[in-house]
Amino acid sequence: MFRLYDSLLSGNCWKVRILLSQLSLEYERITLDLVRGDTQQPDFERISRFSRVPTLVLEDGRSIVESGAILMHLAEGTRFLPGDRLARTEVLSWLFFEQADLQKAIAFPRVYNLRGQASQMAGEIAYRQKDGYSALQKLENWIGSRDWLVGNGYTIADIAVFAYVSLAAEGGYQMERYPGILRWLDGVRSTDGWVPLIEGTTPSR
């Protein structure tokens, strides 16, 4: 059985749980406390070379780190990763874009808001949001006339980009600016096997 090391509120970890659920794969979930420093413990550092979550330990004991790499590994040979070479490359481009342009721009303001630090971190939030709004507009321009990010089907590109974009409002982003994105987010939520960030909760826009 797979073993997934994650944290409760991480969008990167959420991506992996969505795909594991949609693939109907059983796994053991080990939720770490990042504030307590669980990822810095020697036992975890031995299996996660970057000392961060998510980390997926395979049945043979080998581990995979970084959410995009985990998604690629799990999706290989499934409908979530196209067989066509160009389409696969497009999937990769979205995984890279999400990490480079969206993830930190959304995650940092969100963390500051969740921790009640928005006032003292207002300058940092504004700095991050400037880049974030630019990236969100690029996503809106693309998805506005499409159902999915790559081709005509739902792929790990959609899962990867969905996670933090769906949480952007928690970081103070005005998501009503992006009707195409909101429609697409609803489409991802409606896919079979999708799971919310925190199980037992109802997602909100």
Side-chain angles (χ1 to χ4, degrees), residues 12-13 15-16 48-56 63-73 95 99 103:
N12 282 326
C13 297
K15 303 168 192 176
V16 178
S48 179
R49 63 179 174 271
F50 302 138
S51 301
R52 58 180 176 237
V53 293
T55 293
L56 183 71
S63 59
I64 304 174
V65 296
E66 296 299 304
S67 60
I70 296 171
L71 293 179
M72 289 291 294
H73 179 83
L95 267 60
Q99 288 289 287
Q103 194 266 335

Side-chain angles (χ1 to χ4, degrees), residues 83-103:
D84 176 76
R85 184 179 180 183
L86 180 57
R88 289 169 68 94
T89 302
E90 291 181 357
V91 167
L92 278 172
S93 75
W94 281 108
L95 267 60
F96 295 150
F97 173 76
E98 187 271 337
Q99 288 289 287
D101 292 48
L102 287 167
Q103 194 266 335

Side-chain angles (χ1 to χ4, degrees), residues 21-194:
S21 174
Q22 295 190 318
L23 289 170
S24 299
L25 293 174
E26 294 185 0
Y27 66 99
E28 176 188 5
R29 180 182 178 186
I30 301 175
T31 301
L32 303 182
D33 187 330
L34 305 187
V35 176
R36 190 173 59 196
D38 288 355
T39 58
Q40 307 306 312
Q41 298 305 308
D43 286 348
F44 182 71
E45 290 179 333
R46 278 192 285 272
I47 62 173
S48 179
R49 63 179 174 271
F50 302 138
S51 301
R52 58 180 176 237
V53 293
T55 293
L56 183 71
V57 178
L58 306 179
E59 294 172 330
D60 62 8
R62 292 180 293 174
S63 59
I64 304 174
V65 296
E66 296 299 304
S67 60
I70 296 171
L71 293 179
M72 289 291 294
H73 179 83
L74 293 174
E76 185 66 44
T78 76
R79 64 185 177 87
F80 297 96
L81 184 61
D84 176 76
R85 184 179 180 183
L86 180 57
R88 289 169 68 94
T89 302
E90 291 181 357
V91 167
L92 278 172
S93 75
W94 281 108
L95 267 60
F96 295 150
F97 173 76
E98 187 271 337
Q99 288 289 287
D101 292 48
L102 287 167
Q103 194 266 335
K104 289 183 179 180
I106 292 173
F108 277 93
R110 174 176 175 253
V111 167
Y112 297 142
N113 274 275
L114 292 177
R115 292 181 178 176
Q117 300 172 321
S119 295
Q120 60 263 45
M121 300 303 294
E124 173 72 6
I125 290 174
Y127 168 76
R128 296 288 182 178
Q129 286 186 341
K130 180 180 178 181
D131 290 339
Y133 276 119
S134 175
L136 287 168
Q137 188 59 56
K138 292 173 184 176
L139 176 60
E140 174 73 12
N141 293 344
W142 180 262
I143 203 62
S145 59
R146 296 172 172 84
D147 291 328
W148 307 112
L149 293 177
V150 178
N152 297 316
Y154 174 70
T155 69
I156 58 171
D158 298 289
I159 297 174
V161 178
F162 166 86
Y164 276 103
V165 171
S166 72
L167 299 171
E170 294 183 3
Y173 282 88
Q174 299 173 11
M175 295 306 292
E176 65 275 8
R177 299 183 185 182
Y178 308 112
I181 291 177
L182 294 178
R183 174 187 52 78
W184 166 74
L185 291 175
D186 285 341
V188 174
R189 293 187 187 100
S190 70
T191 55
D192 291 339
W194 180 88

